[in-house]
Amino acid sequence: MNVPFLDLKQQYGAIKDEIDAVLQEVINTCAFAGGPMTKKFESQFAPFCGCESAIGCGSGTEALWLALIGLGVGPGDEVITTPSTFIATSEAISFCGATPVFVDVVESTCNMNPALVEAAITPKTKAIIPVHLYGQMADMDPLMDIAAKHNLAVVEDACQAHGATYKGRRAGSIGNAGCFSFYPGKNLGAYGEAGAVVTSDEQLAETMATFRDHGQAKKYFHNIVGWNSRMDGFQGAVLGVKMKYIETWTRQRQENAALYAELLADIEGIETPMVIDGAESVYHLYVIQTDSRDELQAYLRENGIQTGLHYPIPLHLQEAYKSLGYKAGGFPVAEIAAKRILSLPMYPELREGQIRYVGEKIGDFFKKA
Ligand SMILES: *Cc1c(COP(=O)(O)O)cnc(C)c1O
C-alpha cells in the first residue's frame, strides 16, 4: 500500500465544481488583486478566529512581518521566539531590522517553554512570538502574563493552527495579532501563496491594511511608506469556498489523530503527540518522537509510507543565523527533539485503512528491533 504524506488532489476532487465556478468568476470580473472575493473571505475568516478583523496578504511569512511592522518593531529591537519552527518566524523578525532571540521549547509539545521567557527579556525586547506548532497552541496564559508584566506585544504564529483552541479561545485571538499561512499544504490551503493577520485592535488593523496596500488610504494618496502585500484574487475566492469545509476537515484530522493514538498506544519506543490541558489540536501534523527515528523513517519509506521532518535543524543552528552566535547545546530540548521527531501522513482525506497500515508497519518495526 502507498500512503503519501499529503494528497491535495483528493480534496480538489471533492469540491471541484465550486472551485472551478469561483475561479471563473474571478476571471469574468477581472478582480485579480484584492477585490470583493478576498474582502468576503476576510469577513469570514475574522469571526472564525474570534477576532474583529482579518487582513489578507501574500503569505504567512508576510503576515508575520506585517504584524511586527504594524506593532512598530524595528532596528535595534529584540523579539523572542523558539528555534523549533519554520524559518519564516525569525525571517519576519530579521526583516524588520530586529534580532530574533530564542528560548527553548517543552519536550512533549515542541512549543515555547514559558518558564524560560523572562530570562531572555532585555530592555530591547519588544515582542514575543509563540509558535502554535503542529496545530496545538502554546501555553498562552503564562506567556500573556509575562508580556503584560514587561509591556511586550504578543504575535501568535498560527500558521499551523487554523481553528485550534486554548481554554475555549481560538488561535490568533489571544495575542495582539495572529498570523496565518494559507500555503497549499496548510489546514486551510490556497491554490498558490496567501496569508492573513487577524486582530481585534482596530488601530493595528488599520495600520496593517494601509501598509499592505502601499500605505494608501485612498488611491495614490500615500500616508506612510508601505508595501504591496495584497492577497491575490484567486486565492481569496478559493479560501472563501474552503471556509465552508474547514470545521469538517478539522474534525476529520482529529478523528485520524485519535485512531493513530489508539493504534500506537501500546508500542514501546515511541511517544505520540501530547496535548496540554485545556487545548485542542487541529493536527496540522501528526508528530511522533522516537530514538530510532532515522531507521523508522527508512523502514516506512521501504513500505510505501511517506513521512516528514518538521524541522530537522533548529533555527539557532542554521547557517543563515550563524552571526547570532548561538552554539550547539544552546537549546538542548529543541536539539534533541529535532533528532527524534517524525511526521506521519495527516490530512482529512486519509482513509482508515491507510492509518491502520501505518500503525501496523510501525508496530512491525519495533517488534523486529
Ligand atoms: C508555513 C509557516 C510559515 C510561513 O508561511 P508561508 O505562507 O509559507 O509564508 C510561518 N510559520 C510557520 C510555523 C509555518 O508553518
Side-chain angles (χ1 to χ4, degrees):
M1 191 188 289
N2 270 322
V3 189
F5 187 66
L6 200 65
D7 186 350
L8 297 178
K9 263 198 187 150
Q10 253 197 81
Q11 193 183 75
Y12 171 59
I15 55 173
K16 180 179 187 307
D17 291 347
E18 283 178 279
I19 293 284
D20 292 359
V22 292
L23 292 180
Q24 190 58 54
E25 197 179 329
V26 173
I27 297 170
N28 292 345
T29 57
C30 294
F32 299 120
M37 289 216 191
T38 59
K39 260 216 167 72
K40 184 172 162 220
F41 166 66
E42 289 173 335
S43 72
Q44 293 172 292
F45 193 64
F48 170 81
C49 298
C51 288
E52 294 294 323
S53 316
I55 288 97
C57 61
S59 68
T61 310
E62 222 164 49
L64 288 159
W65 180 65
L66 209 55
L68 293 175
I69 293 272
L71 288 161
V73 173
D77 295 337
E78 292 176 355
V79 178
I80 294 172
T81 192
T82 86
S84 299
T85 178
F86 181 56
I87 196 165
T89 316
S90 58
E91 281 175 330
I93 299 168
S94 300
F95 265 75
C96 291
T99 305
V101 173
F102 298 117
V103 298
D104 214 344
V105 295
V106 178
E107 191 185 334
S108 55
T109 63
C110 293
N111 277 336
M112 184 179 280
N113 186 344
L116 303 174
V117 172
E118 276 197 299
I121 295 173
T122 76
K124 293 180 180 169
T125 310
K126 280 285 151 57
I128 307 173
I129 308 184
V131 182
H132 304 324
L133 206 66
Y134 308 149
Q136 173 173 204
M137 290 176 69
D139 193 3
M140 292 302 287
D141 276 353
L143 291 172
M144 293 306 290
D145 287 346
I146 294 163
K149 184 173 155 198
H150 297 272
N151 198 23
L152 305 175
V154 175
V155 173
E156 298 174 52
D157 183 339
C159 288
Q160 300 187 2
H162 316 69
T165 59
Y166 174 88
K167 301 187 181 174
R169 298 176 68 183
R170 285 218 151 160
S173 70
I174 298 180
N176 300 69
C179 302
F180 290 86
S181 165
F182 307 120
Y183 184 75
K186 298 288 160 82
N187 287 29
L188 183 62
Y191 283 5
E193 306 274 355
V197 189
V198 297
T199 184
S200 292
D201 177 336
E202 207 177 316
Q203 186 61 52
L204 177 61
E206 200 182 306
T207 308
M208 293 190 296
T210 308
F211 186 89
R212 68 126 187 223
D213 191 19
H214 296 291
Q216 58 190 358
K218 203 170 105 191
K219 203 164 173 102
Y220 304 131
F221 290 77
H222 308 275
N223 303 334
I224 52 173
V225 178
W227 197 252
N228 177 2
S229 297
R230 291 180 300 246
M231 184 187 274
D232 180 282
F234 286 116
Q235 308 315 330
V238 166
L239 293 167
V241 169
K242 288 193 170 194
M243 281 306 287
K244 286 194 242 171
Y245 302 98
I246 181 68
E247 306 279 14
T248 304
W249 289 333
T250 297
R251 226 173 306 122
Q252 289 168 333
R253 283 177 183 272
Q254 288 166 339
E255 284 164 13
N256 292 346
L259 181 56
Y260 266 134
E262 185 191 314
L263 297 169
L264 303 176
D266 297 329
I267 300 174
E268 231 170 281
I270 62 170
E271 288 126 51
T272 55
M274 208 279 276
V275 179
I276 61 172
D277 272 352
E280 261 183 12
S281 175
V282 294
Y283 293 101
H284 172 57
L285 296 165
Y286 190 86
V287 180
I288 61 170
Q289 297 195 34
T290 171
D291 288 334
S292 6
R293 194 270 308 279
D294 292 345
E295 297 87 338
L296 176 61
Q297 185 174 37
Y299 181 78
L300 294 178
R301 193 186 304 120
E302 284 160 26
N303 285 280
I305 300 164
Q306 281 178 9
T307 58
L309 304 181
H310 303 88
Y311 297 90
I313 302 175
L315 295 188
H316 67 288
L317 301 179
Q318 294 283 355
E319 180 76 19
Y321 279 122
K322 222 163 74 181
S323 64
L324 293 179
Y326 290 110
K327 298 258 171 341
F331 302 101
V333 181
E335 289 168 34
I336 291 167
K339 295 191 170 71
R340 300 184 76 241
I341 44 170
L342 185 66
S343 309
L344 303 182
M346 168 57 78
Y347 37 94
E349 299 79 13
L350 203 56
R351 292 191 310 273
E352 181 180 336
Q354 292 177 304
I355 301 172
R356 290 195 182 277
Y357 175 73
V358 175
E360 190 187 307
K361 287 299 155 195
I362 295 175
D364 289 350
F365 172 83
F366 284 101
K367 255 179 246 151
K368 281 188 188 123

